[in-house]
Amino acid sequence: MEKYKIKIENLFLILCLLWGFLFIVINPPFQASDEDSHLYKIYGFTQGSWTFKKLSLNGIDSQNPTKKITISGQYLPAGLVKSSRLNKRIITHPEQKTSIKESFDIISTPLFKEYPVFISYSVPSYTPVAYIPAVFIIWLLSLINSPPAIMLYVGRLCCLLTYILLTFFAIKITPKGKWILFSVALLPMMIYRAGALSIDALTCGCAFLLTAYALNLIYNDDIAQISKKHNLIFMLLSTILVFCKFTYLPLILLYFLIPDKKFKNKKQKIYTSLVFLFTTFAITFLQVLITAITSAGLSANSMASSYLVLHPISFFKIILNTLYTNANEYITGFVGLFGWSDTYLPKIFVFCYIFLICMFSCIKSDNKISINKNERIFFLTICLVSFIAMYAVFSIIFQVDTKTGTLIGLQGRYLIPLAPLFFLALSNPFIEKHETLYKFTGIFLINLILAISTFTIITHQNCKKFDCIR
C-alpha cells in the first residue's frame, strides 16, 4: 500500500463516497429504520416547533375500548405523511415488493403544506443539533415547498457527507489503529446508516473523531502541551456527541489518559477534566429532564419499567440473558442488517467482516505505539460502561419482555461507535511480513462484501424486473 502512496484516509473517502452514494440510490424512500419519524421531527424543527402535540383518544386499545390513551405527534403537511406511507407495506414483509415506478411516484408527491394532518410518532428527544446540517438544508427546501421525498434524499446526502468528513479526519489524525478505524468505518451497516436520514451519521462520525482526537492527545509526542485550542476542540466534539446520544458519554473519560506532563500541572488536568464532565452531565440531565416533562402522561411512557432503579440485581441478570439470547442478532446488526431490521446480510459475510477487522488489528505497522495493560483495561471499561448505559436507557424507555426475560430495543449498530476503541484494546500486532498483501486482500474483501450487501438490499425490496407493484 505504501508503495503506491495511497493514504488510508483518501482510500476511505473514495470507497465511502462510492458505496454510500450507491446505497442512497438503491434504498427506496423511507425504507431505512425510522426515516419517516426523523423527517417528521426535522420538518417540525424547520417550522419552529421544538415540541410535539398530545392527543387523548378513545377506542385505540382493543382490549379496553373505553380507555382514554394519550399519544404524541404533530400536525404535518398531508403530502409528507402520504409519501412516507406509500411503500410502507413492505416493512418486515419480505413477500411484498416495491419498484422504481413506485419510488418515482413517491418522489413526485407534492408537500401539500396547506392540508395539515395529525400524525403520531415517538417523542422527539433529539434536538436540532443532532440533525446538523440536514435540518438547515431541509428548512431551505421547505421554503420552496419541495416534495417530501426530495427532502429525504437531500437529507440522506447531507448525512453521508457529514459522516465522510468527520471520519476522514478521524482516520487522518489517529496515531494508532488507522486500519481498525478504516474497516469499522466501512462496515456495510455503517455506510447504509450514514446514507440514511437519521442521527447515526453524525453520532458515529463524531464518536470516531472524538476517539481519534483523544488518542492523538495521548500518544502524539509532537503535542508537548495541551492548549486551549485542544480543550476547545475536545469540548466541542464531546458536546455534539452528547447531544446526539448521551450513552456514549464515557468516551470523554479518555481525557484522563493524557499524560500529566502535557499539562502545566496536575491541578490543571483535574480542573479541565471536571469541567468537561460537569458540562456534558448537565447537557445529559437537561435532555432527560425535558424529555421526561414533555412525555408526561403518554401511555407508552407510563407503562415503561426501570429495572435499573427498582431491581438492580435483576437488571444485570436481564443484561446477561439478553446478550445470550440476542447475540446472533447483535452481531448481524453490527455488520449488516438493512431496511427496517428485516434484510439480513448472509451470516458467512458477517463473520468474514469481523475477521477482517481482527486481521487489521494485527498489522504491526499500524500499531507502532504500544498500549500498556492498564490502558487496554481502561479502553474496555469505557466500552463496558457505555454498553451498560445503553441497557439502562432502554430499560427505562421500553418494557422488559416478561416471557423471555430480555430487553427489547437495543440493536447491534449501537455498538459501532465503540468498536474502534474495543478492537484497539484487543489488538495484537504481529503481522509484519507481507503486510501489503494482507491490506490489499482486506480491501478486496471489504468491497466484495459491500457488493453482496448491495445485491441483498436490491433483491429484498425490489421485484426482479423492477416494474411491478404488489
Side-chain angles (χ1 to χ4, degrees):
M1 191 61 59
E2 290 79 7
K3 179 181 178 180
Y4 298 97
K5 298 181 180 179
I6 300 176
K7 290 185 177 181
I8 187 171
E9 61 268 22
N10 293 335
L11 181 60
F12 164 79
L13 177 66
I14 295 169
L15 293 180
C16 199
L17 270 175
L18 171 65
W19 292 107
F21 185 74
L22 182 60
F23 278 16
I24 288 176
V25 173
I26 66 171
N27 190 25
F30 300 102
Q31 285 307 310
S33 296
D34 301 320
E35 273 194 315
D36 52 353
S37 293
H38 286 297
L39 186 56
Y40 296 162
K41 293 172 186 178
I42 292 175
Y43 187 85
F45 289 141
T46 65
Q47 303 308 302
S49 176
W50 287 60
T51 59
F52 60 95
K53 307 291 187 298
K54 297 178 184 179
L55 285 184
S56 296
L57 304 170
N58 293 325
I60 295 180
D61 191 341
S62 58
Q63 295 180 350
N64 188 3
T66 60
K67 182 180 179 182
K68 182 175 287 189
I69 294 179
T70 303
I71 59 174
S72 64
Q74 202 161 22
Y75 285 97
L76 297 170
L80 175 55
V81 177
K82 179 183 177 182
S83 61
S84 67
R85 294 189 169 189
L86 284 177
N87 63 1
K88 202 163 188 175
R89 70 190 181 283
I90 72 174
I91 297 174
T92 69
H93 290 284
E95 74 281 0
Q96 296 285 341
K97 304 293 179 181
T98 184
S99 68
I100 290 179
K101 181 181 180 303
E102 185 172 45
S103 292
F104 276 108
D105 288 341
I106 295 172
I107 292 172
S108 61
T109 302
L111 185 60
F112 291 129
K113 189 185 291 186
E114 63 274 18
Y115 301 109
V117 296
F118 185 83
I119 179 68
S120 176
Y121 61 89
S122 58
V123 176
S125 56
Y126 303 127
T127 68
V129 175
Y131 294 104
I132 294 173
V135 66
F136 176 72
I137 304 299
I138 291 176
W139 172 70
L140 293 177
L141 291 174
S142 71
L143 296 179
I144 58 173
N145 292 327
S146 171
I150 298 298
M151 296 182 184
L152 174 73
Y153 277 101
V154 172
R156 284 180 175 182
L157 185 59
C158 288
C159 290
L160 177 65
L161 295 178
T162 300
Y163 173 72
I164 291 175
L165 181 67
L166 293 171
T167 308
F168 172 86
F169 284 108
I171 296 173
K172 184 175 182 178
I173 68 172
T174 185
K176 279 191 67 67
K178 286 183 183 289
W179 284 93
I180 295 175
L181 182 52
F182 172 82
S183 55
V184 170
L186 287 175
L187 278 162
M189 189 67 203
M190 188 61 254
I191 297 183
Y192 182 81
R193 294 302 302 178
L197 185 62
S198 70
I199 68 165
D200 289 357
L202 182 61
T203 301
C204 293
C206 196
F208 293 162
L209 186 53
L210 177 62
T211 301
Y213 194 72
L215 293 175
N216 192 40
L217 295 179
I218 296 168
Y219 296 111
N220 190 349
D221 292 333
D222 292 334
I223 301 177
Q225 199 78 19
I226 301 299
S227 65
K228 290 182 179 179
K229 180 182 176 181
H230 292 135
N231 288 330
L232 183 62
I233 294 174
F234 192 91
M235 187 67 215
L236 178 63
L237 292 173
S238 302
T239 302
I240 294 174
L241 183 60
V242 170
F243 266 120
C244 290
K245 285 193 176 177
F246 56 79
T247 51
Y248 302 120
L249 187 148
L251 286 173
I252 299 170
L253 298 175
L254 287 170
Y255 193 86
F256 287 98
L257 286 181
I258 300 175
D260 293 344
K261 64 181 180 181
K262 293 190 176 185
F263 295 88
K264 291 180 180 179
N265 50 61
K266 197 168 184 179
K267 183 179 179 181
Q268 183 197 31
K269 179 181 178 179
I270 295 173
Y271 173 76
T272 307
S273 302
L274 290 176
V275 169
F276 286 157
L277 287 175
F278 175 80
T279 304
T280 50
F281 269 115
I283 294 172
T284 299
F285 177 76
L286 186 62
Q287 288 188 91
V288 172
L289 181 63
I290 292 174
T291 302
I293 293 173
T294 55
S295 63
L298 294 176
S299 299
N301 186 67
S302 61
M303 291 170 62
S305 56
S306 174
Y307 272 73
L308 174 63
V309 177
L310 302 177
H311 309 284
I313 297 177
S314 298
F315 170 71
F316 285 101
K317 287 182 179 179
I318 288 172
I319 290 181
L320 296 176
N321 190 36
T322 305
L323 277 174
Y324 176 77
T325 306
N326 299 334
N328 247 352
E329 195 79 9
Y330 288 167
I331 293 172
T332 303
F334 175 76
V335 179
L337 183 55
F338 314 113
W340 285 67
S341 300
D342 54 10
T343 306
Y344 292 76
L345 183 68
K347 274 288 191 295
I348 185 173
F349 298 108
V350 170
F351 288 104
C352 179
Y353 205 103
I354 293 176
F355 171 79
L356 282 174
I357 300 176
C358 294
M359 183 189 76
F360 281 132
S361 68
C362 296
I363 293 177
K364 200 163 187 178
S365 64
D366 191 36
N367 295 276
K368 292 180 180 179
I369 302 172
S370 61
I371 303 177
N372 61 46
K373 182 180 178 181
N374 291 334
E375 289 169 341
R376 291 176 187 271
I377 293 173
F378 196 80
F379 290 166
L380 291 175
T381 301
I382 289 175
C383 294
L384 180 61
V385 171
S386 187
F387 186 66
I388 293 174
M390 291 180 207
Y391 272 100
V393 170
F394 278 95
S395 73
I396 296 172
I397 298 175
F398 297 104
Q399 279 190 308
V400 174
D401 189 331
T402 53
K403 293 182 179 179
T404 61
T406 60
L407 184 65
I408 60 175
L410 192 65
Q411 300 178 41
R413 61 186 169 92
Y414 298 150
L415 304 177
I416 295 177
L418 303 172
L421 197 64
F422 177 79
F423 283 101
L424 187 60
L426 300 180
S427 62
N428 181 27
F430 66 87
I431 297 177
E432 188 171 9
K433 292 183 179 180
H434 311 297
E435 277 191 8
T436 302
L437 178 62
Y438 281 105
K439 292 176 182 178
F440 272 114
T441 302
I443 293 168
F444 170 77
L445 289 175
I446 286 174
N447 284 278
L448 175 63
I449 295 172
L450 286 168
I452 298 295
S453 301
T454 302
F455 178 77
T456 302
I457 295 168
I458 292 175
T459 55
H460 176 83
Q461 295 181 327
N462 296 281
C463 298
K464 290 184 178 179
K465 295 183 179 179
F466 298 95
D467 60 356
C468 62
I469 302 178
R470 296 183 186 178

